[in-house]
Amino acid sequence: MEKGNFEPRITAFVCNWCTYTGADLAGTSRLQMAPNIRIVRLPCTGRIDPVFVIKAFERGADGVIVSGCHPADCHYTAGNYHARRRFAILRELLIFMGVDPRRMTFSWVSASEGAKWRDVVNETVERVRACGPFEGWRSLGGGLT
Amino acid sequence: MDAMTISRADLLGLAEDLLGSGIRVVGPAKASRGMVEYRAVAAASELALEGPELPARSLKEFYLPPTEPLFAWKSLAGGKVELMEARMAPPPTVVIGARPCDAAGVEVLDKVMGWDYRDEPYFARREATTIVSIACAGIDSSCFCTSVGLGPDATRGSDLLLVPIEGGYRAEVLTEKGARLVSGHQGRFRPDSGAAQAQEFKQKARAKVAAHAPPDARPLRSWLETHFDHPLWAEVALRCHGCGACAAVCPTCHCFDIVDEPEGVTTGVRRRNWDTCQTARFTVHASGHNPRSDQNSRIRQRVMHKFMIYPKRFNEILCTGCGRCVRACPGGMDLLEVISRVSALAGGAG
Amino acid sequence: MTELRELARKLLSDGQVKVVIGYEEGPRGVRPLFATDGAAADRLIFDERCVQNLATYLDRRRVHVARLGKPAIVAKPCDVKAVAGLLRETQLKREDVVIIGVRCGGVLADPKSLQRLGPDTMADRCRTCETREPGLVDYLVGPMPEAVRGQSGRDAKIAELDAMTPEERWSFWQKELSRCTRCQACRQVCPLCYCDRCMADKTEPQWIESSPHPRGILAWHLIRAIHLAGRCVDCGECERACPVSIPLGLITRKVAQVVAQRFQHHPTDDPSVPSPIGTWRSDDPQEFIL
């Protein structure tokens, strides 16, 4: 497993109202960010099904970010509270089954926190780069073998 | 029929010889948590030939794998699709230590696999595999091989049957493949002896199984043909969870599902996967209608398929009496009891 | 036993229930019994071999059982928790089931063995069980058993796994799960896996592949663990049903530990205690969130 010299592929599941807008702000503010993330926009972190994270790793993501509104700021009042419990469990389960915890990032990034988004992205990319490509999951099964 | 003998040490030596010459050796081997499974071994020392436990699943998966790619596709421009067939190059394999019920199961499956078309992947594996069985002493009260025209010493499906005698086994050479295996490894085999001991082993084993086995299941076919609506099915089905553990462990269950799995945006693989008639979804139509919408009809289907439909078509019972379904069932379903009940009903009706 | 049989006879003859779902001595061990008359009720037993969780049979979708009519169920404390789960999730109405709770001192890990019940022979989940007497009952039968306790083998194994590197854990689970053929016995026996359309059966779109290759197998076991988080009562049926002895109890126990530690929730037979997954607290721990 070559570490340190590859470009990780990170899938980021983010909520529309806070993190996506914050990411936009990072962009319009011309903040320098690693280009490795592919953003999937959802209305709310409460909509993020744990299966999305499983699917991302299964289909080639080296790392995953899940990000949304800060507690008390959810556009739908409580979606992020549900997500907080759900992802606490998913994270521990995935770690238990052998996923390196460094491959997963969970964050609260508000619409005005463009700089924080930049930091979350850059830090995640470096952390996942150090883990190396997540061949283990995407090379399971499938194919003509 | 030719017979030789082979010592225990030489049998393991034979396994080592085969492994050394690049042949895959499959046999019962210990897995985690005290269970035994049939698997390809890396060394003869892995083989667990003396154990009383029956491997958790049968030999079926070495001929009909739980999942098997059929072909891959790639969508091209202009609506064209490129297809790549899965290569069929099964490794030459010798099974050492098969139970007679499992070897027989493979031969029973040959009928449907070669019926309306020849299942090439299945038969490619058949041709590449030699089965050396070890006669069974009878395992426990869930065995009923003697009720389906077989027995702990059954020879069906085996190329070589090893019957335990002192110091090793008496080896009955049953087929060309078996003869080739012996002649290719002459050094491991000695001249025939121990015929009386072998016979005694077989008789004891047979008696042990027959002591608790239900009546012969072969005559039940006609009762089953005429009692589709009998209340027996509702009673028997109550405990069933529709879980499919029985089908997974069965040497003769062979239903499969075909699925298309995308790998990328334009690529994918078509696969064949094990399936079971015991799940509710098995018979759901595209319209949403389900002709077997409750467990009664599904349990009835299982029993009928094994003891009436398959026999009608192929003159074979789709069951080798291994008893795995009984041992594996979490709901306590009991095929021996069903056979006994049907037998009593059939006898009573006259 | 007499107490249980007499109660069952009475419930049936009074017409209070149409079937008593309990345990009987089958030809090859203890198995579920669906007693619809007094003669059958006389076959009811309860002892340390009664490992099955009969709450699975209460799902109204099992039409072949449901059509027998209103059931009474013989339930150990863990089984009653499953019934409570069904009530909590509105899969059952309280008035549609009669719960015959049995006092339980634990069941054997291997009900077919002829062993005496002790810390080493009892099922792992029983070793640390605190509930010998179920609370949510219509009737309570059986003598109060002695407390037999032991160390949880699963907790020890989980600690061992937790101390491994991610790669070691990955290898462990890939090896254990490799035997899976997606027979779905684990799902079918689980009282809380009652969905008409299991997510793993959906094909438009398909999130969980149905194939028993390592990729499909992993996705299945992960999604099952997630969907049961906070709902699983640790009855052990999934692990018992698995025909190839995959240690599913390690996964369920680990998730239960996470839920207990983070949300102070334990499986309970009180249906008014809300599920920890549909609920939240504003001060839920979030140390893992940046």
Side-chain angles (χ1 to χ4, degrees), chain B residues 32-33 35 37 57 66 141-142 237-239 241-243 261 263 273 281 294-296 330-331 334 337, chain C residues 27-28 31-32 34 57 62-64 67 176 179 181 183 185 188-189 201 211-213 215 239-240 244-245:
Chain B
S32 52
R33 321 195 54 236
M35 62 165 264
E37 58 180 359
R57 292 197 298 250
S141 63
S142 299
L238 286 171
R239 270 180 235 108
H241 293 287
C243 79
E261 281 178 358
E263 294 292 324
N273 298 329
R281 283 178 59 251
D294 64 15
Q295 209 61 41
N296 305 356
D334 195 320
E337 200 188 25
Chain C
R28 268 154 281 282
R31 63 182 185 184
F34 297 80
Y57 295 108
R62 286 182 189 234
V63 293
H64 59 298
R67 64 167 74 108
E176 292 295 331
R179 302 192 288 279
T181 60
C183 73
Q188 295 300 116
V189 297
D201 289 341
S211 300
H213 46 40
R215 190 174 69 199
E239 186 168 292
R240 186 178 71 87
V244 287
S245 309

Side-chain angles (χ1 to χ4, degrees), chain B residues 107 112 223 297 305 339:
Chain B
E107 195 172 285
V112 68
W223 186 91
S297 50
H305 189 192
I339 293 172

Side-chain angles (χ1 to χ4, degrees), chain B residues 224 233 299-308 338:
Chain B
L224 290 170
W233 309 118
I299 279 292
R300 173 179 60 201
Q301 158 62 18
R302 185 176 170 76
V303 177
M304 295 252 176
H305 189 192
K306 288 182 171 296
F307 296 95
M308 189 268 286
V338 173

